[in-house]
Amino acid sequence: MREDNRSATGGCGNCSPRVCIHRSFTKVWHGGRYGRNLLDTMLALLPFPRKTADSPQPGEAPAPAPAPAPASPSTIDGFALSETVDLLEKDVVAAIGGVRRQALTAHGEAEGLQIALSRIHADMADLVEASRTAAADARAVAAATDELSATATQIGTDLELAGDKIGRAADLAQTTGRAMAELQHATDEIDGIVATIGNVAKQTNLLALNATIEAARAGHAGKGFAVVAAEVKALAVAASAAADDIRHRIARLKVSAGSSIEVSESIVALIGEVGPVFAQLHGAVRAQADSIAEVLQRAVETSSFVGQVSARASETDRAAAEAAARGQGAAMAAKIAAELADGLATRFVAVIRNSEFGDRRRHDRYPVEMGAQPAGLPATRTLDISRGGLLLAAADGLDVREGDRFDVMVEGVGLLPVRVAALSALGIHCAFTALATEAEAALEGVIVALVERHRPLIERAQVLASRIAAQFEAAIREGRVSRETLFSTDYRPIAGTDPTQYETPALSFLEETLPALLRDMRGRDARLVFCVAVDRNGYLPVHHEESSQPQRPGDREWNVAHSRNRRIFDDRTGITAARSGRPFVVQSYRRDMGAGRVDNVWEIGAPVRVFGSHWGAVRTAYRL
């Protein structure tokens, strides 16, 4: 097992116990936002003695300045130091490259997941909306069915009541028929009586006629009898007329009674036919009411089920939205991890190459633009030059690879044979091979002129660095700030800032101490773009007044240009200036000012050492 092969010194089993990268390098990722233990870790891994990390305490004399690096690499324990650094750099950069590729792969997968989850979220949102609509429809159906059930029940009740009334009407019709039959029978009896009365009246009339005749025969003696006979006759005639009238009326009554009997019989017959129909209709309505009640129950259950589906769909939608957000966060985290890997690789190389043991540059470089014509390649220009090489600007069609060799005709210098040492975002890094005597002399003349041109600016930056270091050391001696506070790398992000600004334990002290020193320096040269002090991780606590404005929420472009204090500038240029152990470093670059504005500047940096410990650097930038 690998664990069994680990040495007592903490090696992983695959590396030398004295130079085990795999175990110790992982600490770098946990050393803080910037992996601030990176350089210390690498120094600890290298197989050569280190000077003690203990710095003089307040009041002690500062440690002597380090001696200049030798012109050729030292050999320690049989290993060339520069070769060890080169191998270490390649291994770490390769490892970081692998991390970057994996982060990019994770970013792609997370983006795909986020897209899929976004689709699911959109589909679930549609489902939620459809479920809500269905639930509303189901509730409406349940309400309508409930109303229909109530209506059907009422209709059944009304039909039952109507059936009862029709039954009673049939009974009444039958009773009426019987009464009319009895009335017809009574009229028949009355008709017989009336006939008898008519016969009596006729007989009485005949008797009255005979009495009148007899009274007339009797003469005067029968005169009184004649009067009686006349009255009797009149009564008999009236009785006969009344009997005839009654007979006619009874006849009409009999006809009406007969018709009423027929109508009653028809009504009874019709009611007899309607009754079963009403009974059947009542049964159908009752069955329909039962069916509607069952439908109502199903509708209520469906509405409840659809409501549950809608609630579950809403929960799923929220989960999908949360998952999509997490996927987006994972994609962003993977993207940031890839960017951090890029930044860490750049930072690592810059830190190693600007350290006292890893600096491969044997010559100072100076920014200068001169026309350059590579043999057989498109024309370009120089960006900086030194006694050991030059930096060419990338140009369309200037397709070269690391290790290529060619000649470059440089304006004011002559023909220079070069080898491509590296390619970077800055341009094409070229090292001189075998310079001709004339070219070497011309190059030396250019370098001397550049040195003379930059010397006052370099000395100015070094003087400011010394003044800042003296102020810091005095503050430590007087107890106004502790060494731990001054060197603290506890960068605390300030909420709501974009770009992010940071606070540190030493911020209040730095904001009190630095402004006067920086203002004095800036007032000496109109070409000076900025003059700032940064710690060894590129943290810039104090900037000039116009570049230290309070941030405007939501206006990143304005903030980039006007809120440059309390920021960390750890790009290649910034970390090179902050970490360089050389007496000075000269760089040229394009400075991003936001809103698409870029300033071309060249910068001179000088290290700030407090009691011999590297705190950071002074950065002074001038317009090209």
Side-chain angles (χ1 to χ4, degrees), residues 57-58 476 481-490 505-506 536:
Q57 296 301 314
I476 292 175
V481 67
S482 68
R483 185 183 185 281
E484 291 73 19
T485 297
L486 183 63
F487 281 82
S488 174
T489 54
D490 181 17
R536 62 191 180 279

Side-chain angles (χ1 to χ4, degrees), residues 533-549:
V534 297
D535 74 0
R536 62 191 180 279
N537 289 316
Y539 177 63
L540 194 160
V542 176
H543 212 296
H544 304 301
E545 184 176 355
E546 66 273 16
S547 299
S548 302
Q549 303 294 321

Side-chain angles (χ1 to χ4, degrees), residues 134-146:
D137 293 343
R139 287 192 296 270
V141 169
T145 305
D146 186 27

Side-chain angles (χ1 to χ4, degrees), residues 10 65 80 152 193 231 258 263 320 343 348 353 370 410 429 482 524 568:
I193 295 171
E231 291 296 330
V263 171
F348 173 76
R353 292 309 171 192
M370 299 182 292
V410 178
H429 301 262
S482 68
R524 299 184 181 186
I568 294 177

Side-chain angles (χ1 to χ4, degrees), residues 19-273:
V19 192
C20 177
I21 299 173
H22 299 87
R23 180 176 182 271
S24 298
F25 185 65
T26 57
K27 298 178 181 178
V28 174
W29 296 94
H30 306 287
R33 179 187 183 279
Y34 290 91
R36 55 182 176 270
N37 295 326
L38 177 61
L39 183 55
D40 293 336
T41 302
M42 295 306 161
L43 287 171
L45 298 177
L46 291 173
F48 66 90
R50 291 181 62 203
K51 64 180 181 180
T52 178
D54 296 334
S55 300
Q57 296 301 314
E60 295 183 359
S72 60
S74 301
T75 302
I76 303 174
D77 292 343
F79 292 99
L81 177 58
S82 63
E83 184 177 355
T84 302
V85 172
D86 289 344
L87 291 174
L88 179 62
E89 177 184 338
K90 290 180 180 179
D91 287 345
V92 173
V93 170
I96 293 174
V99 172
R100 178 181 180 277
R101 287 190 295 274
Q102 293 299 323
L104 289 175
T105 300
H107 175 249
E109 294 294 333
E111 274 193 334
L113 175 62
Q114 193 268 333
I115 291 172
L117 289 173
S118 296
R119 291 199 192 100
I120 293 174
H121 173 52
D123 293 341
M124 289 306 302
D126 293 340
L127 177 59
V128 168
E129 186 62 28
S131 298
R132 289 173 178 168
T133 302
D137 293 343
R139 287 192 296 270
V141 169
T145 305
D146 186 27
E147 185 177 353
L148 180 61
S149 176
T151 302
T153 302
Q154 184 62 40
I155 291 173
T157 302
D158 294 342
L159 285 174
E160 185 175 1
L161 181 60
D164 293 340
K165 290 183 178 181
I166 288 173
R168 289 198 298 273
D171 294 339
L172 290 174
Q174 291 176 353
T175 302
T176 302
R178 289 193 296 271
M180 294 305 297
E182 292 177 357
L183 177 61
Q184 187 176 26
H185 180 68
T187 53
D188 289 339
E189 293 179 349
I190 292 171
D191 188 40
I193 295 171
V194 170
T196 302
I197 292 172
N199 291 330
V200 170
K202 287 180 181 179
Q203 293 296 326
T204 303
N205 187 33
L206 290 175
L207 289 175
L209 181 58
N210 291 330
T212 300
I213 294 172
E214 289 298 326
R217 287 178 179 174
H220 183 74
K223 185 176 181 179
F225 185 76
V227 174
V228 174
E231 291 296 330
V232 171
K233 179 179 180 181
L235 289 173
V237 171
S240 178
D244 290 338
D245 183 58
I246 292 172
R247 189 180 301 112
H248 292 306
R249 290 180 182 274
I250 289 174
R252 289 197 301 272
L253 182 59
K254 289 175 65 178
V255 172
S256 299
S259 299
S260 297
I261 291 172
E262 292 177 358
V263 171
S264 298
E265 291 175 350
S266 298
I267 291 173
V268 171
L270 183 59
I271 291 174
E273 295 175 358

Side-chain angles (χ1 to χ4, degrees), residues 377-378 395-400:
L377 295 170
D396 292 338
L398 187 55
D399 186 13
V400 296

